[in-house]
Amino acid sequence: GAGVSQSPSNKVTEKGKDVELRCDPISGHTALYWYRQSLGQGLEFLIYFQGNSAPDKSGLPSDRFSAERTGGSVSTLTIQRTQQEDSAVYLCASSYRNFNEKLFFGSGTQLSVL
Amino acid sequence: AQKITQTQPGMFVQEKEAVTLDCTYDTSDPSYGLFWYKQPSSGEMIFLIYQGSYDQQNATEGRYSLNFQKARKSANLVISASQLGDSAMYFCAMRDRSNDYKLSFGAGTTVTVRA
């Protein structure tokens, strides 16, 4: 595809369940980012990948959150034992790695924890 | 450490008027890029304009222009001839090498265009 693809677009889950969110970046983009956005709020940085490694995991809110990237491409964000406060839109973005490269964003996954 | 500051949480502008959205940043890296994104109610993040730290001229893209004042570390977005479709949240963001090129965002400014 031409853009960043995220799935699912919507996810409703029960408190305590685990969820996996997927991001398929633009081919060739070495950098991949996960952000979280609560309703009407700004973007909260979660984690960043350069290739398959994650140099910066500083934004992950708790140890219930983890992410991996395989083959320098697809990334999965996993939230274990979901809580209601995890409800938000999770945005993925990819780019080339340089200060003058813009990020391309996916359409996001709307996560609702009941 | 990076810091992006947008001090205007919300603004109203009359259709066809110009509006300026403020953004200040802080970095010790001489090489950095500044970006503005628009997020309408649909939620998509739309790239608007880019300014590089070494660029001599202010960036322009159609009705968008960036008022770049390097010494003041200011990168204000100017939207000319506002349209109803400009109603959205606008984010200022920065990337630099010292932060491993992570894109950091400001808190955003909500713009509402009135007919």
Side-chain angles (χ1 to χ4, degrees):
Chain A
V4 177
S5 178
Q6 290 188 247
S7 61
S9 55
N10 279 284
K11 177 72 176 178
V12 180
T13 190
E14 294 179 350
K15 179 181 171 182
K17 301 282 191 184
D18 297 352
V19 295
E20 282 190 355
L21 312 180
R22 176 188 168 106
C23 174
D24 203 339
I26 292 172
S27 178
H29 280 182
T30 56
L32 186 148
Y33 302 82
W34 284 97
Y35 292 89
R36 179 168 74 171
Q37 188 177 30
S38 299
L39 189 63
Q41 302 299 308
L43 277 75
E44 176 189 5
F45 169 78
L46 296 178
I47 188 169
Y48 150 58
F49 287 92
Q50 176 56 33
N52 290 336
S53 64
D56 191 344
K57 304 179 183 179
S58 63
L60 294 177
S62 74
D63 59 8
R64 296 187 295 105
F65 288 73
S66 63
E68 65 174 11
R69 188 180 184 193
T70 55
S73 182
V74 172
S75 176
T76 302
L77 177 69
T78 301
I79 309 173
Q80 295 179 308
R81 305 181 302 283
T82 51
Q83 303 294 313
Q84 288 183 333
E85 61 263 28
D86 299 335
S87 296
V89 174
Y90 290 80
L91 289 164
C92 175
S94 71
S95 78
Y96 295 109
R97 184 172 174 265
N98 207 338
F99 71 86
N100 59 352
E101 295 288 343
K102 67 183 181 186
L103 265 62
F104 293 80
F105 282 84
S107 300
T109 294
Q110 171 72 63
L111 176 65
S112 300
V113 182
L114 304 180
Chain B
Q2 286 184 330
K3 186 174 180 181
I4 315 297
T5 304
Q6 294 181 255
T7 57
Q8 306 151 311
M11 299 182 72
F12 291 92
V13 60
Q14 205 64 31
E15 196 176 11
K16 301 180 184 176
E17 298 287 315
V19 61
T20 298
L21 309 184
D22 295 341
C23 174
T24 58
Y25 59 91
D26 189 23
T27 179
S28 56
D29 195 323
S31 303
Y32 55 89
L34 297 157
F35 303 80
W36 279 91
Y37 282 83
K38 171 184 178 182
Q39 189 179 43
S41 57
S42 60
E44 61 186 310
M45 291 289 286
I46 302 168
F47 166 75
L48 295 179
I49 196 167
Y50 164 79
Q51 180 84 44
S53 59
Y54 299 115
D55 294 342
Q56 296 296 311
Q57 304 223 342
N58 286 343
T60 60
E61 290 285 350
R63 294 186 298 109
Y64 304 106
S65 60
L66 204 151
N67 183 3
F68 182 44
Q69 298 187 42
K70 192 172 182 177
R72 295 181 58 191
K73 295 188 175 179
S74 167
N76 297 342
L77 176 71
V78 180
I79 307 173
S80 62
S82 296
Q83 303 171 355
L84 296 178
D86 294 335
S87 295
M89 192 166 223
Y90 290 80
F91 292 99
C92 178
M94 182 178 72
R95 292 184 93 166
D96 67 11
R97 182 172 46 202
S98 65
N99 205 38
D100 203 18
Y101 305 109
K102 183 176 75 181
L103 188 68
S104 296
F105 285 86
T109 296
T110 300
V111 172
T112 304
V113 181
R114 290 170 162 161

